[in-house]
Amino acid sequence: MMNFQYDALEASVKLEDITSSSHNTAILHRLKNNDPALSFLFIDELFDHYDDNDDLFEVREGDDLGWLGYFIGGNETLTSLSVYQLPEDREQAEMFFTGIQLNKSIGDFDISSGVLLGEGFSAMNLPHVTSMSLDCHLEREYAHYFAIGLRRCESLEDYSGQWPVTAEIVESLTTLPMLENVGVWKNRGLAISPDECVALRELLLNANRLNHLDLSGVGLGNDGLRLLAEGLACYSSLADGVLDLSSNDIGDEGLHALLRL
């Protein structure tokens, strides 16, 4: 269902019919009425330790995430949205993203550990978000779908995320005209691969505004640094910014590669 269809039904829909609890119904009311106290919202499954958190939408059976996305899209008070849980169902995820793409107030978007990045992320379209954090493990088979959605985040200035940094994700990052800061980290003790080093080299060669790159603790080593060297040598903007290569087991050979830049 597209947004114009939600528009036609909004006046008649009963919020309690599209939510699983009175708590979630209250969240939709607050979104719809632009409650100024609701500037941050996170979406997750229900856990006992939340203790009736007023900023939590508890995803359970009976919640229509298309309507949640619709009301987020029309809201003007939210500045930060954290998604800890979305259904793997592609249609539900696409309806959610179709709704929130109309929001103009959210600047920070966080995709956290409970989310399984599936095909639905190809519908991600967040043209007004300026900061994004991907704090969950991205399976390589789904990186393609995330890269498609990432390309549409045209106002993005800051991006941080876990491995893998695939060639498609890097290509999407290089198309973002406002991108200035990138931070990446490894997961589950895995070191960066040679292919990922090459992808980051391409990011350095093609991201025109990048002035902060954090690669601390990703297991570059001497070999990884050599693969990055061409990009570091050609990217002059980092001379006035920040490049963090700490905790990467870089020895004399790697240091010599840096000195030759």
Side-chain angles (χ1 to χ4, degrees):
M1 186 160 57
M2 302 301 291
N3 280 324
F4 68 85
Q5 294 171 297
Y6 284 104
D7 289 337
L9 294 171
E10 181 183 357
S12 60
V13 69
K14 295 181 179 180
L15 300 187
E16 59 268 24
D17 291 340
I18 56 175
T19 50
S20 64
S21 66
S22 59
H23 178 88
N24 285 356
T25 301
I27 290 286
L28 292 192
H29 273 294
R30 296 175 69 194
L31 289 168
K32 182 178 180 179
N33 296 323
N34 287 305
D35 180 356
L38 187 62
S39 61
F40 171 77
L41 179 67
F42 64 101
I43 301 167
D44 200 353
E45 294 179 306
L46 177 62
F47 294 105
D48 292 338
H49 62 264
Y50 281 132
D51 295 328
D52 296 325
N53 191 306
D54 290 338
D55 301 325
L56 166 69
F57 187 94
E58 308 161 346
V59 179
R60 293 181 289 194
E61 185 176 354
D63 289 310
D64 188 318
L65 293 190
W67 277 108
L68 174 61
Y70 174 80
F71 285 117
I72 290 175
N75 181 269
E76 299 176 356
T77 63
L78 282 178
T79 59
S80 181
L81 177 64
S82 290
V83 179
Y84 287 64
Q85 184 67 39
L86 279 180
E88 296 181 61
D89 179 81
R90 176 175 182 169
E91 183 178 358
Q92 276 278 292
E94 287 181 347
M95 288 191 295
F96 174 76
F97 281 120
T98 297
I100 68 173
Q101 69 182 342
L102 297 179
N103 182 282
K104 298 181 180 180
S105 62
I106 297 173
D108 299 322
F109 184 66
D110 180 20
I111 307 169
S112 294
S113 56
V115 175
L116 295 174
L117 292 179
E119 295 181 22
F121 274 80
S122 63
M124 184 170 67
N125 185 353
L126 306 170
H128 303 289
V129 166
T130 58
S131 177
M132 178 183 292
S133 174
L134 180 65
D135 189 14
C136 60
H137 182 63
L138 177 61
E139 299 290 346
R140 290 181 181 275
E141 63 184 297
Y142 293 124
H144 166 71
Y145 302 108
F146 178 73
I148 292 173
L150 182 62
R151 185 181 290 267
R152 301 191 189 99
C153 301
E154 57 191 34
S155 298
L156 201 63
E157 299 173 8
D158 304 293
Y159 172 81
S160 61
Q162 292 188 12
W163 300 117
V165 183
T166 67
E168 282 187 288
I169 290 177
V170 169
E171 183 179 354
S172 294
L173 288 172
T174 58
T175 65
L176 301 178
M178 306 301 293
L179 188 68
E180 295 185 356
N181 305 309
V182 174
V184 290
W185 61 91
K186 63 180 179 178
N187 189 36
R188 303 175 185 172
L190 299 176
I192 185 173
S193 71
D195 287 345
E196 290 162 350
C197 288
V198 171
L200 285 170
R201 182 182 67 195
E202 294 305 307
L203 175 63
L204 288 165
L205 289 170
N206 294 288
N208 296 327
R209 293 171 58 92
L210 189 67
N211 63 19
H212 186 130
L213 181 61
D214 183 355
L215 297 176
S216 57
V218 299
L220 271 175
N222 294 325
D223 291 339
L225 190 56
R226 282 198 302 272
L227 290 172
L228 281 178
E230 180 184 350
L232 292 172
C234 296
Y235 202 77
S236 59
S237 293
L238 279 175
D240 300 320
V242 176
L243 172 65
D244 190 345
L245 298 176
S246 61
S247 303
N248 270 300
D249 297 321
I250 296 172
D252 291 343
E253 186 179 351
L255 292 175
H256 290 154
L258 279 177
L259 292 174
R260 289 195 295 269
L261 297 180

